[in-house]
Amino acid sequence: MIQNLLLSVEFLYPTAKKTFSPSLRLFCLVMFFILNVSFAQTTRISTASGGNWNTPGTWTTGVVPAANDPVIIVSTATVNTTANRTCAGISILGTLNLATGNILTVNGDVSGTGTWKGNTNNDSARTISLNGNWSFTGTSAGTGPVAIFTGANVQTLAGTIGAAGTLNVNKTGGALSLANALTVGVFQNTAGTFDANTFLLTTSSAPTLTAGTLRVGASTWGGNYSFASPTIPTNFTVEYYSATPTISAGFTYQNLTFSGSGTTAASSGNLVIQGNLANTGTGVLNFSNRDVTISGGNTQSIAGFTTTGTVTMSKSGNTATFMGTVNGTGLTINGSGGRLALGNFTHTFTGAWAMMNGTLDGDTSTLRIGGDITGSGGSFLADNGTVELYGANQAFRNLGFYNLLLSGTAGAVKTFPATAVAISNNLIINTGIIANLNTNA
């Protein structure tokens, strides 16, 4: 900083470089220390009795805390606010008495073992908004306490907020990570990421989820979250990151992410996904015998997965695209205005393919079907894809094909529909397969 001051002097007074006197050097040194003092933090400690926050006599230094000053309220003191206040960190060892509606903005950590209360009653609204860590383990009764976690830093929440209080996550980056089991009355995820780690968050009401991500570090949803089934808004993400989690079926997902290293355990029920399905780790998505429904009106990316249940597309609009291999028992296309694109992968379904409504894009995929092709509606865009009928005796309807491959064990009969079948590229009939062309095929 001294060097910068000297350069500034030289810029303002070009002859100063040649005539730089000891007094001018002393002036620069004095300015350096003044600037440092003006920006320095001073910990403001309450007196033994405390008083109003904005009264100099409340503090041992006789100075009201500035926004960049950390604050300590000693164990015998009660400090009252009459307006919104800001500090650089606070340790509540005595009593912090916030007036109704007051917000204490903390640009740092909140700690202490004292009491955080309202000036009227414990149900009066009082808010601490912080961008640091929370380790307050004291008392905060009633429905009034609100803790808002903000900023782009990684934050840790330990201790307690108040069993009937409100936890609000409103972050622009980083994540808020839980460091112990916590009970609150209300949980709100306004923006940003909340990570329960392996701890349990309990609330007395359903959460309010607006935007962001809930992370599940336990092996089950119920190991992290104990509240009524949430309503997941568009673009909200639920991420499971333990090695072998059980994916909850207690609600409809928007974005569902698995970032673990193992294989997902059997889901707790049939799954409905209205956003993206992502596999960002090294693990395997296996939904066991659960049905998987891809629905809604959003554009979706669907990671590869396996199930022995039925995969259904019931979208009302836009396109869902398979981004990996999908295996299941049945495939049902029944979206009133939606589309499923198969991508450039090989998908195997051991059962029937039912075309009811909506559009299926073959892209450059291979679609292997072990049962019949059924249904009376929908549209199949063959593109440059291949449909392989690999089962035993199979019948299929005319959907229009690019490549049609008839395979399976010797003697298997593939029954064509009674109308002509459009095949724009190749019809391949493996050795031993019987093609029953029907009367009018």
Side-chain angles (χ1 to χ4, degrees):
M1 183 177 288
I2 293 175
Q3 185 178 9
N4 290 337
L5 284 169
L6 294 176
L7 290 174
S8 299
V9 171
E10 289 180 13
F11 175 77
L12 293 171
Y13 306 100
T15 59
K17 185 172 183 180
K18 296 180 180 179
T19 61
F20 208 71
S21 66
S23 61
L24 187 55
R25 291 181 182 275
L26 179 61
F27 168 77
C28 290
L29 285 170
V30 170
M31 289 299 297
F32 169 75
F33 286 112
I34 290 174
L35 287 170
N36 271 277
V37 169
S38 65
F39 290 105
Q41 286 186 336
T42 300
T43 299
R44 304 299 177 183
I45 303 173
S46 74
T47 60
S49 58
N52 289 333
W53 183 291
N54 61 331
T55 300
T58 299
W59 310 99
T60 57
T61 57
V63 177
V64 174
N68 62 331
D69 290 337
V71 168
I72 298 175
I73 299 175
V74 299
S75 61
T76 57
T78 296
V79 174
N80 309 300
T81 67
T82 56
N84 295 339
R85 300 297 173 193
T86 302
C87 63
I90 188 167
S91 178
I92 307 169
L93 302 176
T95 298
L96 172 63
N97 194 352
L98 289 179
T100 301
N102 278 187
I103 299 174
L104 175 63
T105 299
V106 181
N107 296 315
D109 300 337
V110 175
S111 63
T113 56
T115 300
W116 166 33
K117 59 182 291 189
N119 68 337
T120 304
N121 59 68
N122 285 329
D123 292 330
S124 61
R126 55 193 188 276
T127 300
I128 295 178
S129 176
L130 70 152
N131 61 19
N133 298 320
W134 181 286
S135 60
F136 177 75
T137 58
T139 301
S140 186
T143 60
V146 178
I148 304 177
F149 290 79
T150 66
N153 298 324
V154 174
Q155 294 173 275
T156 299
L157 169 54
T160 183
I161 292 172
T166 296
L167 165 60
N168 180 280
V169 181
N170 193 13
K171 296 181 60 57
T172 57
L176 172 62
S177 296
L178 197 58
N180 54 233
L182 181 71
T183 297
V184 292
V186 176
F187 173 60
Q188 302 164 335
N189 209 106
T190 303
T193 299
F194 179 77
D195 185 352
N197 279 315
T198 57
F199 302 103
L200 181 64
L201 172 65
T202 301
T203 73
S204 57
S205 60
T208 301
L209 307 178
T210 305
T213 299
L214 287 185
R215 302 191 77 216
V216 183
S219 60
T220 65
W221 170 269
N224 278 149
Y225 300 104
S226 178
F227 43 60
S229 294
T231 298
I232 309 293
T234 300
N235 295 324
F236 197 93
T237 299
V238 176
E239 178 186 357
Y240 294 80
Y241 66 91
S242 70
T244 56
T246 298
I247 308 298
S248 173
F251 44 87
T252 296
Y253 289 93
Q254 293 298 318
N255 298 328
L256 171 60
T257 297
F258 172 52
S259 58
S261 59
T263 300
T264 55
S267 301
S268 63
N270 298 329
L271 297 174
V272 179
I273 302 169
Q274 295 186 341
N276 297 328
L277 174 64
N279 185 355
T280 60
T282 59
V284 176
L285 279 169
N286 189 328
F287 298 128
S288 189
N289 62 346
R290 303 305 187 182
D291 295 339
V292 177
T293 299
I294 300 164
S295 68
N298 299 317
T299 298
Q300 296 169 265
S301 295
I302 305 297
F305 66 88
T306 296
T307 179
T308 56
T310 297
V311 176
T312 299
M313 187 283 284
S314 62
K315 292 179 62 59
S316 59
N318 285 309
T319 301
T321 302
F322 284 162
M323 307 302 291
T325 296
V326 174
N327 298 319
T329 296
L331 173 64
T332 298
I333 306 301
N334 193 23
S336 59
R339 181 186 298 259
L340 177 63
L342 297 179
N344 183 27
F345 306 95
T346 296
H347 312 289
T348 300
F349 295 89
T350 60
W353 166 17
M355 282 294 298
M356 309 297 292
N357 201 355
T359 301
L360 180 65
D361 282 348
D363 292 332
T364 56
S365 68
T366 296
L367 178 59
R368 304 181 71 241
I369 302 296
D372 295 341
I373 301 178
T374 65
S376 58
S379 175
F380 176 55
L381 303 180
D383 298 323
N384 294 316
T386 297
V387 173
E388 178 184 358
L389 302 180
Y390 75 93
N393 298 333
Q394 293 175 271
F396 61 96
R397 54 178 283 208
N398 180 24
L399 292 172
F401 304 95
Y402 182 72
N403 294 322
L404 179 60
L405 169 60
L406 308 181
S407 67
T409 57
V413 178
K414 315 295 181 177
T415 301
F416 281 62
T419 56
V421 175
I423 301 172
S424 61
N425 196 42
N426 295 319
L427 170 62
I428 304 169
I429 304 174
N430 283 1
T431 301
I433 300 302
I434 300 171
N436 178 1
L437 301 179
N438 228 317
T439 303
N440 300 313

